[in-house]
Amino acid sequence: MAMAERIPQSSGNSPGGGGLALRFISGKYQGGEFPLEGDREIYIGRSSDLEMVLVEEMVSRKHARVTVRGGEITIEDLGSTNGTFVNGEKIERATLKEGDRVLIGTSILKVVVVTASQASLRVPSGGVMSAPRRTVGGTDEGPRMSGAIEEVPLPDLMQLFGTSRKSGVLVVTTEHSTGRLYLKQGIVHYAAIDSSPDLPALKAIYRMLGWERGLFQLDPPEERVFDSPLDLPVQEILMEALRQQDEFNVIRERLPAPEVPLMLSVPLVPKLSALSEHELDVLQLAVNSPDLAAVMDLSARSDLETGQILSKLLSQKYLTSAE
């Protein structure tokens, strides 16, 4: 007999007709919610006699416990094999508040505010929720870890995967492009963006970390050999990416739109001899490229360094834009 996978209904409402809930924002239970109302203990794991049953290989039989008491919500790991993570940190015990994200197995749950009517719509009558399944290569399996980066921003997602030492290919798809992050035991091995195949791996990661809308999916590991693997810790990448994004935002308004061509100023008044080798390289790229976006892609420098050089070339009248 198949094991039941259940998300039970709450027996009460919080003051004002609403309350907090754990919402599955990634994994095979995505879209389900578990109300956190009243004083109660919620045991999470694979065992069929628990309050929240998650049937998957990376979840222990009795994995974690959520306690709701006196308006405070805490979560405690119960000695699970693969650990429990809150906001990217592996925990033994932690207090939860609205907006916190919990990783258990391949499921990411977010603490959200819901009204009583929303909770009743989300949780099936009788408290039983079956995860969708699909057939791949003749065998049934649950959907891979997936979700929207609006719900789980890519920096948060990378931190979760880094701390939990995940392996696989994180595929991020936006309206215009698809990027891939290759992870080995939580270390970033390589990265690439389909629409910009010549981007260096590190530059591709920094570019992807700026994406704010799209979908992600963690695919199984691929046995591929890359010419210049990165093998960098997630935290090191995130710290540098945040610095570069902050500094790039300062100069962004001084640059034309990505689709705008850049041209050599005529007549050229400033002297080329005053430019450094890197600045001359970017100048030549700008003159020979169809638009700003192409310059950013083809430059051997980071987006921040290239943007800083272009800002200087524009302000000192080496370049002009078609805007």
Side-chain angles (χ1 to χ4, degrees):
M1 183 175 65
M3 185 177 294
E5 301 169 306
R6 53 179 185 268
I7 302 290
Q9 288 179 301
S10 172
S11 59
N13 295 328
S14 64
L20 295 176
L22 284 172
R23 175 181 295 162
F24 287 79
I25 59 175
S26 174
K28 69 179 185 178
Y29 305 97
Q30 187 175 346
E33 286 179 354
F34 196 112
L36 300 173
E37 300 170 348
D39 288 350
R40 62 190 304 193
E41 286 188 337
I42 303 157
Y43 284 86
I44 305 170
R46 284 190 293 115
S47 180
S48 60
D49 59 349
L50 303 181
E51 289 76 14
M52 187 189 294
V53 181
L54 306 181
V55 182
E56 61 168 284
E57 190 175 317
M58 293 184 65
V59 176
S60 298
R61 288 185 60 80
K62 188 176 280 189
H63 194 107
R65 176 176 60 206
V66 174
T67 303
V68 185
R69 184 167 292 120
E72 183 177 76
I73 303 169
T74 59
I75 185 167
E76 178 184 1
D77 184 79
L78 300 177
S80 66
T81 301
N82 292 297
T84 302
F85 301 83
V86 176
N87 299 327
E89 297 293 331
K90 190 172 184 178
I91 59 96
E92 293 183 2
R93 186 179 185 277
T95 300
L96 297 178
K97 62 184 184 303
E98 181 188 354
D100 285 345
R101 298 181 181 89
V102 178
L103 174 66
I104 295 177
T106 63
S107 293
I108 300 176
L109 303 92
K110 184 178 181 180
V111 182
V112 298
V113 174
V114 293
T115 64
S117 60
Q118 285 175 322
S120 64
L121 288 173
R122 286 287 189 175
V123 182
S125 176
V128 178
M129 183 177 76
S130 296
R133 305 191 72 81
R134 64 181 179 182
T135 300
V136 178
T139 60
D140 288 342
E141 67 172 17
R144 296 189 183 117
M145 192 174 195
S146 61
I149 58 176
E150 294 94 313
E151 285 277 13
V152 195
L154 196 51
D156 293 1
L157 195 62
M158 286 181 62
Q159 188 169 346
L160 281 171
F161 290 166
T163 309
S164 57
R165 299 178 60 81
K166 288 256 189 286
S167 294
V169 183
L170 178 60
V171 182
V172 184
T173 304
T174 70
E175 183 180 357
H176 303 292
S177 194
T178 297
R180 289 175 171 80
L181 286 172
Y182 296 82
L183 300 166
K184 285 188 175 182
Q185 294 292 307
I187 298 295
V188 179
H189 181 61
Y190 196 75
I193 297 176
D194 289 359
S195 58
S196 303
D198 295 327
L199 279 185
L202 196 55
K203 189 170 178 177
I205 295 177
Y206 294 156
R207 187 80 61 85
M208 291 170 63
L209 285 168
W211 294 352
E212 297 179 346
R213 300 184 64 83
L215 301 174
F216 72 84
Q217 176 172 299
L218 184 64
D219 285 350
E222 292 183 11
E223 294 299 326
R224 293 185 57 184
V225 177
F226 298 101
D227 290 337
S228 301
L230 296 173
D231 293 327
L232 292 173
V234 165
Q235 200 60 34
E236 180 179 328
I237 290 174
L238 292 179
M239 289 178 64
E240 178 60 17
L242 181 61
R243 181 192 72 81
Q244 291 201 20
Q245 285 179 7
D246 287 344
E247 293 188 28
F248 187 79
N249 287 336
V250 173
I251 65 168
R252 187 189 298 273
E253 62 185 28
R254 302 201 295 265
L255 298 175
E259 68 275 8
V260 172
L262 299 173
M263 300 167 290
L264 193 67
S265 295
V266 180
L268 184 62
V269 176
K271 295 181 178 180
L272 292 175
S273 59
L275 298 177
S276 69
E277 180 181 348
H278 298 318
E279 290 167 342
L280 285 170
D281 288 343
V282 174
L283 177 65
Q284 183 174 354
L285 270 179
V287 173
N288 294 331
S289 300
D291 52 33
L292 175 67
V295 180
M296 302 299 282
D297 281 356
L298 293 171
S299 173
R301 320 300 295 178
S302 69
D303 284 345
L304 172 61
E305 292 172 301
T306 305
Q308 289 171 331
I309 292 173
L310 287 173
S311 176
K312 173 182 175 178
L313 295 175
L314 287 163
S315 66
Q316 295 186 4
K317 308 302 182 185
Y318 286 94
L319 291 173
T320 184
S321 71
E323 278 187 324

